[in-house]
Amino acid sequence: MHRTRSLALAATAALLLPLAAPAAADVVDGDFDDGGGAWWSTPEVVTTVTDGALCADVPAGGDPWTHIVGQGGVDLPAGEWSLTFTATGDGPVRANVAQDYAPYDALGTLALAPGAATGTHTLTFDVAQDEPQAQVAFQLGGHDTAWTFCLDDVSLVPAGTEHLPRTDFADGSDPWWYSRPTGIDTSSGAACVDVPGGVGTYDAILGVNDLELPAGDYVARYTGTGDGPVRAVVGLQVDPYTAYGEASGASGELAFTLPGPDDGGQETYPQTQMAFQLGGASEAWTFCLETVSLLSGSTLPPYEPDTGPRVRVNQVGYLADGPQHATLVTDAVDPVAWEIRSGEEVVASGESTPAGADASSGETVHTIDLGSLPAGTYTLVADGETSHPFDVGTTAYDTLRYDALDYFYLARSGTEIDADLVGEDYARPAGHVSSPADGATNKGDLDVPCQPADDPVQPYEEPWTCDYTLDVVGGWYDAGDHGKYVVNGGIATAQLLATYERSLHAATRDADALADGTLAIPESANGVPDVLDEARWELEFLRSMMVPDGEPLAGMVHHKVHDKGWTGLPLLPHEDPQTRYLHRPSTAATLNLAATAAQGARLFAAHDADYADALLTDARTAWKAALATPDLYAPAADGADGGGPYDDRDVSDEFFWAAVELYLTTGERAFGDYVHAHLDDVSDTIGRGGFSWGQVGPLGLIDLATVPNGHRDRDAARDVVLEGADAILAVQQGGPWGAAYAGEEDGTYVWGSNSSVLNAQVVLGVAFDLTGDVAYRDAVIESTDYLLGRNALNLSYVTGYGEVFAQNQHSRWFAAQLNPELPHPPAGSVAGGPNSDSPTWDPTMQGLFPEGCAPQTCYVDDITSWASNEITVNWNSALTWVASFLADQDQGEVVQPTCEVSYTEHGSWRGGFVSQLWLRSTDGPLDWSELTWSWVGDQDVTRLAWGAGWSQEGETVTATSLPWNARAKKATFGFIGDPGSFASPQPEQFWLDGAPCLTVSRR
């Protein structure tokens, strides 16, 4: 789920990414019980072990480093460390931790004057980055007379106060426990446990309880071995099991903060445990915990992401005839020379354009115009840096169109995901298909009750429940959890439907790209375009959420269905043990159904008339219910546990959107009048990020402007869309990264900022479809650079696309980072993206960025970062529209129409109409085979036709030339048609042998 969560303590915890094996790197033989053989000294210093201490006879004179006792080969991971030792002697001591190689840079130094050495001393210091080869040295030279130095109890450990009762297992495991009857084996000096295969994440846990932690900063470190899934958690040991910090992997480290009273927390946190959750593997395995620590008063170094070369490009590549730009991170004030290389050959060169300081990235940057490179594979070299390789002439968007769409089958609830379609890695059993009353572990969606009135998390002013249950099996899981939300499913469904509808009416479209048989779904080859089949899966869920006839609020739609409480990671849908509830209906959810069902009705009309009729019936029912109950809002407080609130107290945009879709589908005056009366409600709703699930007015504006219709306000809607597009275009053209989104007015990057980029691209793409102005189209193309690597982090946010891409998005079943037996998200999954709105940060981000971050850098590719790295259906639906638009542009060549069509309806009567077309070439004589167009609904060429051969498949009509007019100067032909049962506007876009024609008249 992807909205602000209220997680009590977890909302103020600070978690850091799991890092590699950062054990407490203590010195060897620090108590000298083994004779001091691990220690060395300079030649003039004679050492002996006396009474358990290492004593050194130190000659007089010299510099401090002339006479040394030390130990080398110490591995110091980055972090805060403490060197503690006990000493005696009258001379000067300089305790120094440094690199064990030239130039022996010091990491930490403690100088003790003559007479001050005797006693126990501690040196605390920071290691900024991993230092695998350090030395601990006691520099003893420089005293006026010879003297004796004795050293004992030397330790070099992470800084802080230890809170675990046992940190190693050399002499047993108590009070650590294991939840399986096999117990803990410490015979090897580690705590080893046998983990059975086929058990859930929480069914095999190694832990220690009853820790009482004072408020403050903590670092936990552990080293272990084993090849199964390991989730290390410090948190509450009783319900609700709040996690204060977590990490993954057999070895790791994590940091978190327990807030004190002044920060909304408490003095101490009792009943805390450190636990290792080990279940989830299919085969039995063994985990051995070797060392572990939990230190208060300790922190880790600031997080520094690996951003690779400072030359940032679209890592997937550029269209041969589209914009080709890059961004260089550099402190250079003047232009910087650059070269394009194909292998070792320099094929182009030039100078960068300084852009200055960029607030979004926190960097000083230059832009680079690559010109018009021909097709090939290249690297860009500038300022001593070489970019990731990239292609020119890429066809990757053709693949991305389908990968982005195929994501939705993998997000389906209530059905088995078929290995024959998606491969064994992504196959899984059906989730949430049982009844809560049948005793199954997985409390499914077959017979779901309403939230009980006495539920302690009831958010309503008046307690609410119902006495019916609903079968709401199906639909898409919203995001990385198992919840299903009508308003988020609504916009996602609308965008899939819009992706298909654009393929019917936009001048630049591939007529066959979204046909039946193009996706990896079970319904493929059923005679219905696959994208409509996928949208139908969610439409059926949305319909199932309606309140039944005869009940209070009949016809309204429940806002959401999800688990009673949050579940942990990872957790496959069929293993979810939580009870699930329907939450109270809302006006917003009801209007989402009205809008999407109406939109779906006109698109299914030519493929499944009965289903189209059912959709329109439900759309009308929902519209009437919303008019009767126009202000039933989802409470902001209904996100305390188990699911997000999706609260929205302004539904004027939802009313407008639903009215537009009902008008476009039916042509009825009442809906048209509502649209006219409420156009002002949405006249300023196209924001910097285009639109969102909570701001859907632009969906209505876009469809009113683009779908053929005769509404009196169509031109006004077109003007609003273009005004919004112009504002977005100015942002896109004015930024050094090429993105159509540069944060909100104050520069903040919001939750799901990548969807803001994508939805801004949708607005630009629509503006191109409306005007043919290539500036809008080029802005869509170039903005994709940002998503695919030309950004502050040098990272592609789309899995499987680019040299370095996001692959650990927040998901309970695409969870390879936590359990190697599970897959990463599939290719074509877009991550939420940078989120600099710190109140929404998850514990991972709070730990990584305690002092804040430049907006573009507030992101981490870690599965625990739900505020920056979640995947959701409505973000992938935006990617679907944009990827399909990009694929339709081929290589970005500007195609000018060479034909004109005039379409005239000469007359109509009940059940019929007669139309005539005139076709003319603007570039010499006609040489044509087929003229095509698509209807809006279920119109049909069914009767007498003349002047051409005629055929119709679905909503698409094809007129085929005859021998006597295939090469004439112009051709005239016509037909008698059936208007069908839906709105029947005249077609507005025609294609001659696949190329768009100019429509010169429309009557």
Side-chain angles (χ1 to χ4, degrees):
M1 69 128 277
H2 54 296
R3 47 259 138 204
T4 305
R5 302 185 183 189
S6 174
L7 287 185
L9 296 174
T12 54
L15 165 70
L16 285 189
L17 291 177
L19 303 176
D26 208 349
V27 296
V28 177
D29 194 18
D31 56 9
F32 305 102
D33 288 347
D34 292 335
W39 294 81
W40 52 263
S41 61
T42 50
E44 296 84 358
V45 177
V46 178
T47 62
T48 59
V49 175
T50 304
D51 297 329
L54 179 70
C55 293
D57 293 331
V58 185
D63 294 313
W65 51 85
T66 304
H67 309 308
I68 302 175
V69 172
Q71 181 177 135
V74 178
D75 183 6
L76 282 180
E80 189 176 13
W81 294 86
S82 289
L83 173 68
T84 301
F85 61 94
T86 299
T88 61
D90 297 329
V93 176
R94 218 175 133 194
N96 194 45
V97 183
Q99 294 172 336
D100 198 16
Y101 52 89
Y104 302 101
D105 288 340
L107 304 171
T109 300
L110 175 65
L112 301 173
T118 298
T120 299
H121 309 279
T122 298
L123 164 65
T124 300
F125 60 96
D126 289 323
V127 177
Q129 58 187 22
D130 292 354
E131 180 52 71
Q133 192 71 18
Q135 67 170 227
V136 177
F138 295 90
Q139 300 174 355
L140 309 172
H143 197 40
D144 294 339
T145 61
W147 66 290
T148 299
F149 171 71
C150 291
L151 180 67
D152 200 0
D153 298 326
V154 184
S155 67
L156 179 59
V157 298
T161 301
E162 181 61 61
H163 288 270
L164 294 181
R166 179 181 295 276
T167 60
D168 64 49
F169 304 94
D171 57 355
S173 60
D174 185 65
W176 287 78
W177 51 267
Y178 183 46
S179 63
R180 309 297 299 186
T182 50
I184 305 172
D185 179 4
T186 60
S187 60
S188 66
C192 296
V193 295
D194 294 326
V195 185
V199 300
T201 301
Y202 315 113
D203 292 331
I205 299 178
L206 173 64
V208 60
N209 281 356
D210 299 323
L211 307 177
E212 185 165 330
L213 304 183
D217 296 329
Y218 287 81
V219 172
R221 293 181 172 90
Y222 65 97
T223 59
T225 60
D227 55 6
V230 179
R231 180 180 180 234
V233 182
V234 180
L236 192 61
Q237 69 195 42
V238 295
D239 192 24
Y241 302 100
T242 304
Y244 305 148
E246 62 180 291
S248 62
S251 296
E253 66 183 2
L254 58 96
F256 58 93
T257 298
L258 296 178
D262 292 342
D263 298 314
Q266 55 202 58
E267 292 285 353
T268 60
Y269 292 78
Q271 292 187 291
T272 298
Q273 70 176 195
M274 184 168 190
F276 295 86
Q277 299 170 0
L278 307 172
S282 59
E283 302 293 333
W285 65 290
T286 299
F287 174 66
C288 291
L289 181 63
E290 296 170 340
T291 62
V292 60
S293 68
L294 176 59
L295 301 172
S296 63
S298 185
T299 59
L300 291 175
Y303 171 64
E304 291 290 342
D306 180 3
T307 57
R310 290 182 287 105
V311 187
R312 311 291 161 78
V313 297
N314 181 328
Q315 295 176 23
V316 170
Y318 302 89
L319 301 183
D321 297 307
Q324 300 173 12
H325 297 111
T327 303
L328 170 66
V329 176
T330 178
D331 292 331
V333 176
D334 298 322
V336 172
W338 58 264
E339 295 178 342
I340 295 290
R341 295 180 182 175
S342 176
E344 297 301 318
E345 180 185 2
V346 176
V347 298
S349 60
E351 287 191 338
S352 65
T353 300
D358 171 57
S360 73
S361 63
E363 303 282 4
T364 301
V365 297
H366 292 201
T367 59
I368 296 175
D369 186 344
L370 307 181
S372 298
L373 295 171
T377 300
Y378 304 97
T379 55
L380 170 61
V381 180
D383 203 28
E385 299 273 318
T386 301
S387 74
H388 292 301
F390 60 90
D391 292 332
V392 171
T394 181
T395 58
Y397 301 128
D398 296 330
T399 304
L400 181 58
R401 182 199 323 246
Y402 301 119
D403 282 345
L405 278 168
D406 281 334
Y407 170 87
F408 290 88
Y409 174 56
L410 295 173
R412 286 188 186 185
S413 175
T415 187
E416 176 186 4
I417 305 303
D418 190 346
D420 290 339
L421 294 173
V422 301
E424 292 292 341
D425 286 348
Y426 290 98
R428 57 176 170 82
H432 300 100
V433 291
S434 63
S435 167
D438 68 7
T441 299
N442 183 215
K443 302 299 189 293
D445 292 341
L446 183 62
D447 193 26
V448 184
C450 289
Q451 195 176 19
D454 60 354
D455 191 319
V457 299
Q458 273 267 5
Y460 314 110
E461 294 179 4
E462 297 290 335
W464 170 88
T465 190
C466 70
D467 58 5
Y468 56 83
T469 62
L470 291 181
D471 174 0
V472 293
V473 169
W476 301 316
Y477 295 117
D478 173 64
D481 56 73
H482 302 129
K484 299 187 293 189
Y485 305 84
V486 169
V487 297
N488 213 49
I491 187 175
T493 303
Q495 288 194 296
L496 260 63
L497 294 173
T499 299
Y500 179 72
E501 194 154 32
R502 183 184 178 276
S503 76
L504 303 179
H505 308 301
T508 59
R509 63 93 168 98
D510 183 338
D512 300 319
L514 296 175
D516 187 25
T518 52
L519 300 181
I521 60 174
E523 299 85 357
S524 192
N526 67 350
V528 177
D530 286 351
V531 64
L532 294 186
D533 282 323
E534 191 57 67
R536 182 173 183 161
W537 189 264
E538 181 70 4
L539 280 168
E540 286 298 274
F541 162 70
L542 300 180
R543 297 175 67 205
S544 74
M545 294 285 280
M546 292 185 77
V547 177
D549 289 341
E551 299 289 346
L553 300 175
M556 296 287 283
V557 177
H558 287 276
H559 199 70
K560 57 181 181 172
V561 58
H562 59 65
D563 293 340
K564 176 178 172 58
W566 292 111
T567 56
L569 299 166
L571 186 68
L572 288 165
H574 70 283
E575 296 174 342
D576 176 11
Q578 290 272 3
T579 299
R580 291 163 74 80
Y581 292 134
L582 298 168
H583 289 244
R584 195 185 70 182
S586 72
T587 305
T590 305
L591 290 167
N592 267 260
L593 174 60
T596 55
Q599 184 182 15
R602 67 175 177 267
L603 293 172
F604 274 98
H607 305 280
D608 188 335
D610 290 342
Y611 185 57
D613 289 341
L615 285 173
L616 185 55
T617 297
D618 282 354
R620 292 182 187 276
T621 298
W623 174 256
K624 291 178 181 177
L627 288 176
T629 310
D631 54 1
L632 189 60
Y633 305 123
D638 194 16
D641 208 3
Y646 280 108
D647 53 303
D648 181 2
R649 297 188 65 85
D650 179 1
V651 295
S652 59
D653 52 320
E654 280 85 358
F655 270 110
F656 178 83
W657 174 35
V660 167
E661 301 303 343
L662 282 159
Y663 169 76
L664 294 176
T665 298
T666 67
E668 293 175 9
R669 180 174 178 176
F671 297 121
D673 287 347
Y674 188 97
V675 169
H676 175 69
H678 293 274
L679 184 64
D680 287 346
D681 292 348
V682 295
S683 61
D684 60 353
T685 56
I686 298 179
R688 293 171 70 87
F691 49 87
S692 66
W693 66 263
Q695 190 58 270
V696 293
L699 296 178
L701 289 165
I702 286 170
D703 282 357
L704 187 61
T706 57
V707 177
N709 71 88
H711 196 280
R712 54 185 154 170
D713 293 316
R714 189 177 181 189
D715 286 343
R718 179 182 185 273
D719 291 343
V720 174
V721 172
L722 294 180
E723 182 180 354
D726 287 340
I728 293 170
L729 181 64
V731 171
Q732 189 276 328
Q733 293 180 336
W737 303 96
Y741 176 77
E744 300 304 296
E745 292 290 347
D746 62 356
T748 300
Y749 276 53
V750 297
W751 196 320
S753 63
N754 284 342
S755 72
S756 297
V757 177
L758 287 161
N759 286 328
Q761 289 178 276
V762 171
V763 175
L764 291 168
V766 169
F768 170 68
D769 289 341
L770 289 171
T771 65
D773 186 338
V774 295
Y776 296 124
R777 186 204 61 177
D778 285 354
V780 179
I781 296 170
E782 185 173 2
S783 189
T784 310
D785 294 353
Y786 169 85
L787 294 168
L788 298 178
R790 186 184 161 200
N791 53 55
L793 297 179
N794 206 5
L795 175 76
S796 167
Y797 290 111
V798 181
T799 304
Y801 285 80
E803 291 293 309
V804 183
F805 53 79
Q807 59 180 328
N808 294 310
Q809 290 99 318
H810 179 78
S811 169
R812 281 161 175 75
W813 53 98
F814 303 136
Q817 184 180 356
L818 294 175
N819 183 351
E821 293 188 8
L822 296 175
H824 290 284
S829 303
V830 62
N835 176 3
S836 62
D837 189 10
S838 59
T840 69
W841 280 358
D842 52 63
T844 300
M845 294 186 71
Q846 291 179 22
L848 293 175
F849 309 112
E851 304 300 324
C853 42
Q856 266 200 58
T857 67
C858 298
Y859 168 85
V860 57
D861 184 24
D862 188 88
I863 195 170
T864 61
S865 180
W866 34 262
S868 77
N869 201 35
E870 198 162 22
I871 44 178
T872 76
V873 289
N874 66 307
W875 299 344
N876 243 74
S877 63
L879 177 64
T880 291
W881 195 100
V882 171
S884 189
F885 176 93
L886 292 168
D888 285 345
Q889 306 315 307
D890 296 321
Q891 286 301 316
E893 181 183 1
V894 178
V895 178
Q896 298 295 336
T898 59
C899 52
E900 294 179 346
V901 174
S902 177
Y903 179 99
T904 300
E905 189 174 292
H906 287 294
S908 63
W909 59 94
R910 190 177 186 85
F913 63 94
V914 58
S915 293
Q916 182 116 358
L917 295 91
W918 287 264
L919 170 64
R920 185 179 74 87
S921 171
T922 58
D923 186 23
L926 283 170
D927 185 4
W928 68 289
S929 176
E930 295 181 343
L931 182 75
T932 60
W933 76 85
S934 294
W935 302 118
V936 168
D938 59 347
Q939 299 104 305
D940 201 359
V941 176
T942 59
R943 303 189 187 181
L944 177 66
W946 59 91
W950 294 92
S951 63
Q952 182 171 337
E953 183 174 354
E955 59 277 277
T956 300
V957 179
T958 301
T960 307
S961 64
L962 299 176
W964 51 268
N965 65 5
R967 290 173 177 79
K969 185 175 181 179
K970 60 181 179 180
T972 302
F973 36 89
F975 62 91
I976 296 176
D978 183 343
S981 58
F982 294 83
S984 55
Q986 296 182 16
E988 298 174 359
Q989 180 62 57
F990 300 85
W991 294 267
L992 189 66
D993 295 328
C997 288
L998 179 67
T999 303
V1000 295
S1001 66
R1002 190 171 69 238
R1003 295 194 293 255

